[in-house]
Amino acid sequence: MTQLNSPNSMTFYEHVDELRVRLMRCLVVFGIGFVLCYFVSEPILTFLRRPLFAVLPLEQQKLYFTNLFETFLTHLKISGYASLFFFSPYYFYEVWGFISPGLNSNEKKMAIPFISAASLCFIGGACFAYFAVFPFGFKYFVTYGSPTDVPMLTIDAYYSTCLKLLTLFGLAFELPVFICLLGFLGVVDSPFLKQNRRTAILIITVISAVFAPPDAVSMLMLGVPLVLLFEGSILVVAAIEKKRAMNQA
């Protein structure tokens, strides 16, 4: 198992102070991103509307607001989420900076791979939701019911659903990064992951059933990629162990 630096290298209060500083930096970057994204919030809203309007008749391609401030608050919400997504590499950089004092010199060299992999998986999960889940899921729910059932979606309800799904898939696709990081640190190994494969699949199934839209197709479209990512993580951890053994030899 990889040896961590001495826990006395930083006191508890020093860790708390460092966490506070990094959180403040993230808040500053989030605020800058929020302002920048606000000026492009309308194109982002248009982009998010496309999967829904693609399955609606032309005369029904409208979103409604039920209170005076709903449209304005939706633009603010979109700006906040866009700041989280577009500036996610910086947030992952701060996460790595917080945990790096407990790593040795060789482990600290994994900063760029970790930040790159975490950012790509987060954004990749959101893209998977948009291009794969949204078209099938929206078509299923819009056409569900009798022909007399006409959708009348509000601005807040629709965009909130989109943002929740994008965030869910983005976080879910961080699974291999988390597992590989634990494997690199020596917390878990490939035999342990293989031995607990069934438990992991069960947990993934439960998560998919709870957080995915309540239809079988959406659950499968979340669960199957997570299972594949888990299996890929086992291969990556095994490769890390093989390289570590060769270096030690």
Side-chain angles (χ1 to χ4, degrees), residues 189-248:
D189 53 22
S190 55
F192 173 83
L193 295 174
K194 294 177 182 178
Q195 182 180 358
N196 293 274
R197 177 183 281 116
R198 293 184 177 179
T199 303
I201 294 176
L202 177 61
I203 294 174
I204 290 173
T205 303
V206 173
I207 292 175
S208 301
V210 172
F211 293 102
D215 65 284
V217 176
S218 298
M219 291 169 57
L220 289 174
M221 296 187 75
L222 175 60
V224 172
L226 288 182
V227 172
L228 295 177
L229 290 173
F230 177 80
E231 294 294 334
S233 302
I234 297 177
L235 299 178
V236 174
V237 172
I240 292 174
E241 294 168 353
K242 183 177 180 180
K243 183 178 181 180
R244 181 180 296 152
M246 293 175 61
N247 292 336
Q248 292 176 351

Side-chain angles (χ1 to χ4, degrees), residues 124-176:
C127 291
F128 179 83
Y130 180 86
F131 292 104
V133 177
F134 283 11
F136 293 99
F138 292 171
K139 183 176 182 180
Y140 174 83
F141 287 110
V142 166
T143 58
Y144 186 84
S146 65
T148 58
D149 298 332
V150 179
M152 185 176 290
L153 301 173
T154 64
I155 293 174
D156 180 66
Y158 173 71
Y159 288 117
S160 295
T161 300
C162 289
L163 294 173
K164 289 177 182 177
L165 289 176
L166 292 173
T167 305
L168 168 64
F169 276 82
L171 293 176
F173 274 53
E174 291 296 314
L175 175 65

Side-chain angles (χ1 to χ4, degrees), residues 15 21 28-29 37 42 49 58-59 70 75 87 113 145 156 159 168 188 191 196 207 213 219 236 246:
H15 279 293
V21 172
V28 171
V29 172
C37 293
E42 189 59 41
R49 283 196 298 265
L58 182 62
E59 65 276 7
E70 186 171 338
H75 279 74
F87 291 85
D156 180 66
Y159 288 117
L168 168 64
V188 299
N196 293 274
I207 292 175
M219 291 169 57
V236 174
M246 293 175 61

Side-chain angles (χ1 to χ4, degrees), residues 99-118:
I99 66 176
S100 62
L103 307 178
N104 59 40
S105 57
N106 289 329
E107 294 169 343
K108 291 180 179 180
K109 296 178 181 179
M110 295 298 296
I112 294 179
F114 168 79
I115 297 170
S116 301

Side-chain angles (χ1 to χ4, degrees), residues 6-57:
S6 172
N8 296 323
S9 58
M10 291 184 66
T11 65
F12 172 78
Y13 293 104
E14 288 175 335
H15 279 293
V16 173
D17 186 62
E18 183 184 6
L19 178 62
R20 178 186 61 81
V21 172
R22 294 190 179 278
L23 287 176
M24 290 300 298
R25 291 175 183 170
C26 289
L27 287 175
V28 171
V29 172
F30 174 82
I32 295 173
F34 178 89
V35 174
L36 295 176
C37 293
Y38 179 78
F39 292 103
V40 294
S41 57
E42 189 59 41
I44 297 175
L45 291 171
T46 302
F47 179 74
L48 292 177
R49 283 196 298 265
R50 289 176 183 172
L52 175 66
F53 285 6
V55 298
L56 286 175

Side-chain angles (χ1 to χ4, degrees), residues 83-93 115 118-120 122-123:
S83 179
L84 289 176
F85 276 94
F86 294 148
F87 291 85
S88 59
Y90 179 81
Y91 304 135
F92 289 120
Y93 164 78
I115 297 170
S119 302
L120 289 175
F122 185 64
I123 297 175

Side-chain angles (χ1 to χ4, degrees), residues 67-78:
N67 66 71
L68 186 61
F69 307 105
E70 186 171 338
T71 302
F72 173 72
L73 293 177
T74 299
H75 279 74
L76 297 182
K77 184 184 297 185
I78 288 292

